[in-house]
Amino acid sequence: MKSLRRILAIAHKEVLHVLRDPRSLYLALGMPVVLLVLFGFGVSFDMDHLPVALVDEDRTASSRRFAAHVFGSGELERVDAGGVTASDAVRLFEQRRAVGVLVIPAGFGASLARGRTAAVQLLLDGVDPNTATQTLGKADAVVRAAGAMLTSPGRGLPRLPVDVRVRTWFNPAGRSALYLIPGLTAYVLALASVLLTSLTLAREWERGSMQQLFATPVGRMEIILGKLLPYLGLGTTAVLLVLTAGAWVFDVPMRGDALALTACSTLFLLGMLGQGLLVSIVAKNQMVATQMATITSMLPSMLLSGFLFPIENMPAPLQVISNVVPARYFIHALRGIMLRGNGFAEVARDLVALGLFASVVFALGVARFPRTLA
Amino acid sequence: MTEHALLVRSLGKRFGSFQAVDDVSFEVERGEIFGYLGANGAGKSTTIRMLCGLLRPSSGRAEVAGHDIAVSPDRVKASIGYMSQKFSLYLDLTVEQNLEFFGGLHGLGGKALGTRIDALLEAVDLRGQRAAVTGALPGGLRQRLALASSLVHEPRIVFLDEPTAGVDPASRRTFWALIRGLAQRGTTVFVTTHYMDEAEYCARIGLMVAGRLVALDTPAALKRDLVPGRIMAVEGPGLGAATAALRAEPGVVAVEPFGAGLHVRVEASVEGAAIVARVLASAGIEPSRLEEVEPTLEDVFLAAADAGAEAKIRAAQQAETLA
Ligand SMILES: Nc1ncnc2c1ncn2[C@@H]1O[C@H](COP(=O)(O)OP(=O)(O)O)[C@@H](O)[C@H]1O
Ligand SMILES: [Mg+2]
């Protein structure tokens, strides 16, 4: 009873601190949404509005239907090239009016009519390789689809020459927000949780109020629970906020088990809070805590988690290290639950890994949390 | 269980090779105001931290409110209030929120806590600042709030570590009136200070010099025992030049700088004023003031610090001759 009172007193004080300092609220709730929108729109702009000019040298009904299909999907944006020829492509690139030129050569319609493979040509501006790769990937998919529409089923698929295998960095699936949101959620949660908890604990050390707490009957578990519980609540709110924003703005689905998602994010958050606790014990002042918290949360959850770079493409040593990065399991579980409709059975491995990480950091933190000053 | 509010036996604290508190023993009675005096670094805060269960002693033992600090630190913590040297309340919370927080830490809540906070705010005269943000309060009021928050659970003993440091004289007087009121109602007060005038309010005083408790008694007894003889207060220009001559004079016990001038301590049997006047005259100095004064605790402190230094030197010499 008294213990509960003490924990609540500390938690209540923590809530007051947070409410008094809008920066921590921004860090926990504002930053995730801002980053989500920046990343989400930033990348999807690149993907959805790639300006491509059309040069139709065939001028048949087939070529016009083909072009209509290619640009009708909305993935490539048709720029008005007003009768350009293939040799005008360079000028379009230089003026940055197009990133690609699609050439339908004369004889396209005739080849199709005879049931032969019809060729189209795609000229790409290679100055920005990233855009070029993305355009190629898009065009490949769109041209295949358009080609299929033109071919009657009995004659078999035309083998179109735009046959490329592209690994797109951010989203092999072609829709950026879908793939980004789980990673972004993990990244932002990790950063905000570790930073906020390590700072609030370091502040008590730095200001000498921890000493004041030690002169009361309050125990270290009570201090730790009281200080961290509010941030578990804040982190959970941030998860809900990001997922809601993702669903609204980018139509990210939520196909799987919401309970499994809650379990994953709670365990992940607990691990991050424990990491913040450890950082504060080592750092004991706000400046060092800020640096340690940022480095230990941001770098692994961005670079070693599969958020930006697929884990299977990493050098072997980094792949090994990524095994102890909790964000890796959280992102994997989130993608599975949200996009593939997974439930507890499929994310069991991730849950165990997240639970293990949380238990280890908390055990270490509690053991190393000083009870006296020396 | 003992009768004493505090019982300290051979308490010591060593930081590495540095002995911050060295073999300190004393008792404090219930309801007593016990003053712990000493220069910066003398070991006052370290002693308090050990008695509050914040530091583990390196040697010796202590009982606080009847509980051994090593055996049951949690019972000790439940029966004491602690006001640390550094102001460590939360500046971003209001006065009331700070008190609620410390009440909660002691397991208080609900109506009982509300009533207690009302009474405390009344006692320290902060009712008007109840909803004020602590960071906006002037120093004197902050000290009173810190005192109130250390009293929220009605402890039997409070430890106040330099509670009036850096506070203006009027606020210091108000603060000491509060402390005296507390003691009258039976709370034991253990207070450190380096303001000698404040020490006069204490029932007894322990003098710390370099980690050792060199004297312990009532202010009056300390003056009598540590400052025997009479004190001549001298002021005037160029006194520094005559210090050596004064010291060499038979009948003069000690010459200490004091305020703007000197305190010359002479044996009780000699004609102090005449001696000092003669020495100064032969040095060509005309004092603007020369009169006998009552010893203050400052004189006690200077004498004790000297004695402490002498004792250290003697101990070192002994160790050398033994080696
Ligand atoms: N945690 C510590 N580690 C090392 N030295 C310390 C520590 N705390 C205090 N000291 C040293 O012990 C001595 C006594 O300090 P303290 O008790 O704070 O003195 P006071 O309160 O009388 O000014 C000082 O020299 C101080 O530097
Ligand atoms: Mg001190």
Side-chain angles (χ1 to χ4, degrees):
Chain A
M1 184 59 206
K2 278 201 166 185
S3 184
L4 187 66
R5 276 235 167 100
R6 289 196 281 258
I7 294 172
L8 287 181
I10 297 174
H12 179 237
K13 175 181 80 77
E14 205 55 40
V15 171
L16 293 175
H17 285 319
V18 170
L19 293 180
R20 287 238 180 248
D21 184 8
R23 279 174 307 176
S24 48
L25 272 184
Y26 166 73
L27 195 64
L29 302 180
M31 188 179 76
V33 175
V34 169
L35 276 184
L36 179 75
V37 170
L38 283 181
F39 266 70
F41 277 127
V43 177
S44 63
F45 178 80
D46 282 350
M47 303 308 298
D48 290 347
H49 303 282
L50 294 167
V52 171
L54 176 71
V55 178
D56 186 356
E57 292 170 348
D58 191 43
R59 293 170 208 259
T60 60
S62 300
S63 73
R64 277 190 289 276
R65 273 175 59 214
F66 176 75
H69 280 301
V70 167
F71 291 103
S73 68
E75 302 278 12
L76 302 177
E77 190 184 350
R78 181 173 185 167
V79 290
D80 187 19
V84 282
T85 64
S87 55
D88 287 331
V90 175
R91 187 176 44 81
L92 282 174
F93 292 161
E94 274 172 356
Q95 293 172 350
R96 304 201 137 265
R97 285 178 55 207
V99 296
V101 175
L102 184 64
V103 184
I104 306 178
F108 175 87
S111 295
L112 275 185
R114 271 180 261 126
R116 299 228 310 263
T117 299
V120 293
Q121 186 185 20
L122 180 66
L123 299 168
L124 286 175
D125 180 3
V127 167
D128 176 357
N130 197 28
T131 310
T133 316
Q134 287 173 8
T135 313
L136 195 54
K138 283 280 176 199
D140 180 36
V142 168
V143 167
R144 270 172 201 283
M149 301 283 285
L150 293 177
T151 326
S152 50
R155 288 184 187 165
L157 286 172
R159 292 204 340 274
L160 290 163
V162 187
D163 180 16
V164 279
R165 309 274 142 116
V166 182
R167 264 215 89 84
T168 311
W169 240 21
F170 292 104
N171 52 344
R175 281 191 54 204
S176 52
L178 268 191
Y179 205 68
L180 271 181
I181 282 179
L184 202 57
T185 309
Y187 165 71
V188 169
L189 273 188
L191 180 60
S193 314
V194 177
L195 196 57
L196 286 177
T197 47
S198 63
L199 274 181
T200 183
L201 283 161
R203 194 177 310 130
E204 303 257 6
W205 285 109
E206 196 175 303
R207 296 219 49 244
S209 46
M210 197 62 94
Q211 180 176 325
Q212 199 75 50
L213 299 193
F214 286 168
T216 72
V218 71
R220 57 181 166 179
M221 267 317 274
E222 292 163 350
I223 297 181
I224 293 173
L225 284 177
K227 293 288 287 182
L228 299 195
L229 277 179
Y231 292 98
L232 184 60
L234 201 58
T236 308
T237 313
V239 174
L240 288 177
L241 210 62
V242 169
L243 296 185
T244 312
W248 260 8
V249 185
F250 303 107
D251 292 326
V252 178
M254 176 54 213
R255 301 198 175 105
D257 187 345
L259 218 58
L261 190 146
T262 312
C264 286
S265 58
T266 306
L267 283 180
F268 177 67
L269 272 174
L270 283 175
M272 293 300 100
L273 299 182
Q275 190 174 325
L277 171 68
L278 272 184
V279 166
S280 75
I281 290 170
V282 178
K284 288 204 177 167
N285 76 63
Q286 295 186 75
M287 214 167 79
V288 179
T290 307
Q291 291 166 357
M292 284 181 63
T294 313
I295 291 170
T296 60
S297 65
M298 203 169 82
L299 294 184
S301 64
M302 184 153 73
L303 303 178
L304 298 176
S305 65
F307 169 26
L308 292 185
F309 310 113
I311 290 169
E312 57 273 18
N313 289 4
M314 292 176 188
L318 292 186
Q319 287 197 29
V320 173
I321 297 174
S322 81
N323 281 319
V324 295
V325 173
R328 166 189 180 157
Y329 303 99
F330 184 49
I331 292 175
H332 180 255
L334 270 189
R335 283 180 182 157
I337 294 172
M338 293 169 67
L339 308 182
R340 275 194 293 279
N342 286 350
F344 274 103
E346 290 86 356
V347 298
R349 238 197 84 218
D350 299 315
L351 275 174
V352 169
L354 290 172
L356 212 61
F357 182 85
S359 312
V360 169
V361 284
F362 258 94
L364 270 177
V366 172
R368 299 289 309 274
F369 197 82
R371 217 193 306 241
T372 51
L373 301 175
Chain B
M1 279 291 202
T2 60
E3 311 256 312
H4 309 292
L6 272 176
L7 176 89
V8 178
R9 287 290 173 265
S10 303
L11 198 63
K13 180 69 192 181
R14 179 176 270 283
F15 293 114
S17 64
F18 176 69
Q19 191 79 37
V21 173
D22 189 5
D23 195 22
V24 165
S25 301
F26 60 87
E27 302 93 42
V28 177
E29 306 309 322
R30 210 172 283 175
E32 187 178 357
I33 301 180
F34 184 84
Y36 209 50
L37 261 67
N40 269 339
K44 306 183 294 293
S45 298
T46 305
T47 308
I48 287 198
R49 289 196 189 112
M50 286 191 281
L51 296 179
C52 293
L54 297 173
L55 276 181
R56 247 187 298 278
S58 315
S59 55
R61 58 181 214 90
E63 281 175 25
V64 176
H67 307 295
D68 192 303
I69 54 170
V71 179
S72 37
D74 283 342
R75 293 212 177 148
V76 168
K77 290 176 182 182
S79 37
I80 61 158
Y82 169 58
M83 179 174 161
S84 68
Q85 185 171 353
K86 190 176 165 195
F87 183 80
S88 49
L89 299 188
Y90 300 97
L91 298 176
D92 55 334
L93 302 191
T94 66
V95 167
E96 185 173 25
Q97 286 166 344
N98 264 303
L99 292 175
E100 279 171 354
F101 173 63
F102 283 99
L105 286 190
H106 286 282
L108 300 175
K111 240 196 168 100
L113 179 57
T115 318
R116 178 70 189 138
I117 288 177
D118 287 340
L120 275 173
L121 287 174
E122 173 84 44
V124 301
D125 197 16
L126 282 175
R127 260 174 320 166
Q129 282 76 25
R130 190 182 197 113
V133 175
T134 305
L137 295 181
L141 301 199
R142 282 190 197 182
Q143 307 297 84
R144 264 144 58 192
L145 174 60
L147 178 67
S149 65
S150 72
L151 295 173
V152 71
H153 56 301
E154 302 184 75
R156 290 153 66 187
I157 307 173
V158 279
F159 292 90
L160 311 175
D161 198 354
E162 303 207 11
T164 54
V167 169
D168 66 274
S171 298
R172 278 169 54 196
R173 274 194 299 279
T174 319
F175 196 87
W176 272 94
L178 290 173
I179 293 178
R180 285 205 302 276
L182 266 180
Q184 270 158 22
R185 288 190 298 277
T187 308
T188 308
V189 180
F190 185 107
V191 57
T192 75
T193 179
H194 58 243
Y195 293 116
M196 298 301 158
D197 57 333
E198 291 185 340
E200 302 274 0
Y201 296 125
C202 301
R204 283 190 310 145
I205 290 168
L207 274 180
M208 286 290 283
V209 177
R212 297 189 68 101
L213 185 65
V214 296
L216 172 68
D217 218 323
T218 62
L222 283 178
K223 288 174 196 168
R224 190 185 61 226
D225 298 343
L226 283 176
V227 200
R230 296 177 332 197
I231 291 178
M232 304 296 142
V234 193
E235 281 171 25
L239 284 177
T243 309
L246 282 169
R247 284 216 174 101
E249 191 68 20
V252 172
V253 182
V255 182
E256 306 282 1
F258 195 99
L262 295 176
H263 271 191
V264 182
R265 191 140 56 83
V266 298
E267 283 165 13
S269 54
V270 302
E271 204 38 69
I275 293 176
V276 172
R278 179 165 49 73
V279 174
L280 291 182
S282 62
I285 295 165
E286 187 141 340
S288 58
R289 176 184 175 219
L290 171 55
E291 59 181 336
E292 181 166 350
V293 293
E294 282 295 307
T296 66
L297 279 173
E298 191 87 44
D299 297 298
V300 170
F301 185 72
L302 291 169
D306 265 1
E310 274 164 31
K312 278 216 153 173
I313 292 164
R314 265 201 306 279
Q317 280 167 345
Q318 255 168 15
E320 236 167 71
T321 47
L322 284 178

